């Protein structure tokens, strides 16, 4: 239980843009246990998403390595490796192929990772996954353009779940959604985590979301982790000046505000 | 399933319906359909089908347009209208074969270059640039300088000049598609390169490619006509719009109908397909917004 499923060890990544070297990640280390939600926070451009790409194997680090179950992950990942670590992206408008129905997108993931299942079994699994993200089956044959942002994000989660992952990298999955839909989606994510013992790497700049979902937090500044702490400790007693500044800049949405907004929503 | 599914089923058709309400596309579509039908049913439509072959009637040489011969007769007394109608056949066959050869080849290279980047991209795109830097007609003439002039070789020659345009177009469109989040998502899910190219990249490039294809039908007819005009296309007596204009041009302005008929036929066919392409492009631009 307490051995980390995923370890990022001293990872560095440099990009060269117009002859300038940009250190997107500097000596970043992080670990993730089974069922844990580890938030990665920081301002835009602080390297959070680059870390996500390194964890997913979309970028290979210049230095350091990623370990899964204590073993280093090879540069060319095998299919079971890909299955274990999945992704939910930020922008609901572009996360799904506009030319394919949502069922096609999810079923593709099912087929890749369950080549032994026949058509009927795949469909059963598809219905299960749609149920898990609370999507009605009559939306299955729609195109992404016919769905709302929240629904598209649910489909993106369904596509990730179709692979039976152990870890999901959530790259600001709720930042493009309105507060209410955001809240529903976060509840869904935390419920799925508990039920399926999933681990999340939750990349976000929204500290309110962090408080709601994360067990531990790593704060990024210019490609470096300035502080890693259990969520409550970080909010109660931030150790660095940068974290204190970050925390003081958070607008707080109270339970009352949220109720007020949902009442408005109910009336319209 | 439920009625909602049926609502969605109607969705892709709503784009089609929109396209058919576009006046540019609709007029182009009507013209193009008439041209295609006339070409297909040429033996039934043409007033003198036998005039398309080796036929002479020295009693009726170079008669101006009349009730019997709407577009007049040519140097050996053949009905110009009948020959124009049969001429459409060669022109359309040319367009179909050239597009059929050059589009799959060109588009595949373009999206492969855009997707894999690196050395593959450099190799494909620089070769494409070399082909693009030579004017189509000059390149086609060079190819026909090596191969004996015939209909098939003319088709091959024009195809050789045509694919790089589709490579460049597909490359440009695919470059934008490849950077979309859903491509990353497919990679993360574990889809193979070929699956990503076929299911994710290609369908999102297709509308633009179709638009160019519709526009190109007209231009291919023009290039084919130019080749026949230069004597590098079809051999007589098979009627060909380009060679008809060419031979008629020697007798201007006296026997003007020998040029006007086939020239107008080229204009109409080119216009029909070009209008269709433009209408399609307008509707796709709307759909993007």
């Amino acid at each position: 239980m307490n051995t980390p499923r995923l370890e990022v060890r001293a990872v560095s990544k440099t990009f060269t843009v117009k002859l300038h070297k940009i250190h997107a990640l500097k000596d970043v280390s992080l670990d993730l246990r089974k069922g844990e939600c580890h938030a990665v926070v920081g301002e835009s451009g602080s390297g959070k998403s680059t870390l996500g790409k390194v964890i997913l194997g979309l970028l290979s680090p210049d230095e350091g390595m990623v370990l899964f179950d204590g073993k280093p992950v090879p540069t060319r990942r095998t299919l079971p490796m890909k299955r274990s670590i999945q992704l939910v992206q930020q922008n609901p408008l572009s996360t799904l192929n506009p030319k394919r129905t949502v069922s096609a997108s999810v079923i593709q993931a099912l087929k890749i990772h369950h080549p032994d299942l026949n058509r009927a079994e795949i469909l059963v699994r598809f219905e299960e996954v749609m149920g898990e993200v609370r999507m009605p089956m009559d939306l299955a044959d729609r195109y992404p353009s016919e769905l709302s942002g929240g629904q598209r994000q649910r489909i993106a989660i369904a596509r990730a779940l179709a692979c039976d992952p152990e870890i999901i990298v959530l790259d600001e999955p709720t930042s493009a959604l309105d507060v209410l839909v955001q809240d529903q989606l976060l509840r869904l994510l935390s419920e799925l985590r508990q039920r399926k013992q999933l681990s999340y790497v939750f990349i976000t700049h929204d500290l309110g979301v962090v408080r709601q979902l994360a067990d531990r937090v790593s704060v990024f500044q210019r490609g470096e982790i300035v502080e890693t702490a259990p969520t409550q400790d970080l909010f109660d007693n931030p150790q660095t000046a940068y974290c204190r500044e970050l925390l003081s800049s958070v607008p707080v949405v109270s339970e009352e505000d949220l109720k007020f907004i949902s009442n408005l929503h109910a009336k319209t | 399933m439920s009625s909602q599914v049926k609502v969605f089923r109607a969705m892709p058709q709503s784009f089609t319906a929109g396209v058919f309400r576009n006046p540019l596309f609709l007029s182009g579509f009507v013209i193009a359909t008439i041209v295609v039908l006339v070409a297909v049913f040429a033996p039934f439509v043409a007033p003198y089908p036998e005039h398309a072959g080796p036929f002479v009637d020295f009693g009726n040489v170079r008669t101006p347009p009349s009730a019997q011969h709407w577009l007049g007769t040519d140097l050996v007394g053949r009905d110009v209208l009948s020959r124009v109608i049969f001429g459409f056949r060669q022109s359309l066959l040319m367009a179909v074969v050239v597009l059929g050869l050059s589009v799959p080849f060109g588009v595949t290279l373009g999206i492969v270059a855009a997707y894999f980047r690196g050395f593959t991209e450099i190799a494909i795109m620089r070769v494409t640039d070399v082909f693009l830097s030579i004017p189509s007609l000059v390149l086609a003439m060079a190819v026909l300088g090596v191969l004996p002039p015939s209909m098939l070789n003319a088709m091959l020659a024009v195809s050789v000049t045509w694919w790089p345009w589709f490579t460049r177009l597909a490359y440009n469109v695919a470059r934008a598609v490849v950077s979309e989040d859903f491509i990353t998502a497919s990679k993360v899910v574990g889809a193979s390169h070929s699956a990503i190219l076929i299911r994710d990249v290609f369908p999102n490039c297709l509308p633009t490619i179709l638009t160019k294809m519709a526009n190109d039908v007209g231009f291919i007819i023009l290039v084919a006509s130019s080749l026949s005009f230069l004597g590098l296309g079809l051999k007589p007596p098979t009627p060909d719009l380009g060679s008809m204009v060419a031979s008629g041009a020697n007798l201007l302005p006296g026997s003007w109908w020998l040029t006007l008929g086939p020239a107008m036929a080229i204009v109409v066919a080119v216009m029909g397909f070009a209008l269709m392409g433009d209408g399609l492009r307008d509707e796709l631009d709307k759909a993007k917004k």
Side-chain angles (χ1 to χ4, degrees), chain A residues 89 94 97 113 138 141 146, chain B residues 4 8 181-182 189 200 204:
Chain A
Q89 290 157 309
S94 65
N97 182 346
H113 296 288
D138 51 350
D141 274 339
E146 300 164 90
Chain B
Q4 266 174 313
F8 133 66
D181 286 347
F182 61 83
V189 158
D200 292 327
N204 283 288

Side-chain angles (χ1 to χ4, degrees), chain A residues 9 15 45 115 123 138 155 180 221:
Chain A
R9 266 200 213 151
F15 294 113
L123 281 177
D138 51 350
I155 294 296
L180 209 66
Q221 189 189 15

